[in-house]
Amino acid sequence: MKPELNSFVIVDAEKCTGCRSCEVACAASHRDDNSNFTIGNMDTPIVPRLFLVKDKEECATVQCRQCEDAPCAASCPTAAIKNDDGCITMDQAKCISCKTCTLVCPVGAIGFLPNFESAAVTGGIDRKPKSIAYKCDLCSSIGQEPNCIKVCPNDALKIATPEEDVNERRNKAVSDLLELVKKR
């Protein structure tokens, strides 16, 4: 087993109001044309790499958990999904739209969108897949904190670093225990 666990984005459902700012920021940061814009001139469909799920009382995001064993990568017949230094990324150019990754993803974090290039027919035969897979890549292409985290007005999203989080909880438990002992 790998000694380090991958980080991923996690939501505090008590803080999330379902405003969908994270979805818009995600879609904007993964556009082919990353020029400055306002949402009023975003002329492509809003396709976030995270999915907001809402019911009457709660809402939360579903997004890639960056699994260390990455069943999506293990099942991909074209190696379009791979582990790049602790981040599970997808090379959409290699995707053949077999949808195997969606079947094995334990959290349902992989979606498919139309491949608009497939409409271009070469020699009478369309050789490109009709749709391509996409998922959260922690904004690795922009090389900074994920945009969904930056824009959340309620600080509901954060990077979860499992090893650090476990150590924090242990340290807090020991500190609380010592305080209790001191009071006696």
Side-chain angles (χ1 to χ4, degrees):
M1 179 175 208
K2 189 174 154 185
E4 292 182 22
L5 300 174
N6 293 343
S7 298
F8 58 93
V9 177
I10 193 165
V11 64
D12 181 343
E14 291 182 10
K15 291 181 178 180
C16 181
T17 61
C19 70
R20 299 195 183 273
S21 295
C22 55
E23 289 184 328
V24 174
C26 178
S29 67
H30 290 93
R31 290 177 56 200
D32 290 335
D33 173 21
N34 280 326
S35 59
N36 292 331
F37 65 92
T38 63
I39 196 62
N41 69 5
M42 192 167 164
D43 58 356
T44 57
I46 295 178
V47 182
R49 295 175 180 219
L50 60 97
F51 310 97
L52 188 73
V53 179
K54 294 168 74 169
D55 68 10
K56 290 180 182 178
E57 291 87 33
E58 296 178 338
C59 46
T61 59
V62 174
Q63 59 202 112
C64 182
R65 292 292 188 242
Q66 307 296 329
C67 305
E68 289 78 27
D69 62 349
C72 57
S75 69
C76 183
T78 63
I81 305 171
K82 61 184 182 222
N83 189 338
D84 282 333
D85 196 27
C87 182
I88 309 304
T89 60
M90 184 172 296
D91 182 348
Q92 292 179 325
K94 291 182 179 179
C95 179
I96 60 170
S97 192
C98 68
K99 298 179 179 66
T100 305
C101 55
T102 61
L103 295 173
V104 299
C105 178
V107 295
I110 300 175
F112 276 81
L113 64 127
N115 182 4
F116 296 108
E117 292 178 18
S118 69
V121 177
T122 307
I125 300 172
D126 186 357
R127 298 189 189 275
K128 295 191 178 188
K130 301 266 187 254
S131 59
I132 51 176
Y134 65 99
K135 61 172 235 28
C136 175
D137 62 359
L138 298 176
C139 290
S140 61
S141 60
I142 59 173
Q144 56 190 11
E145 181 181 44
N147 281 342
C148 59
I149 294 173
K150 287 196 279 189
V151 303
C152 181
N154 301 314
D155 293 323
L157 297 169
K158 72 172 194 163
I159 290 282
T161 307
E163 290 176 351
E164 290 175 15
D165 292 346
V166 167
N167 288 338
E168 274 182 40
R169 286 194 304 270
R170 284 182 186 147
N171 289 342
K172 183 176 181 339
V174 168
S175 176
D176 291 347
L177 184 61
L178 289 173
E179 284 297 317
L180 184 64
V181 169
K182 287 178 184 177
K183 288 180 182 179
R184 290 184 181 179

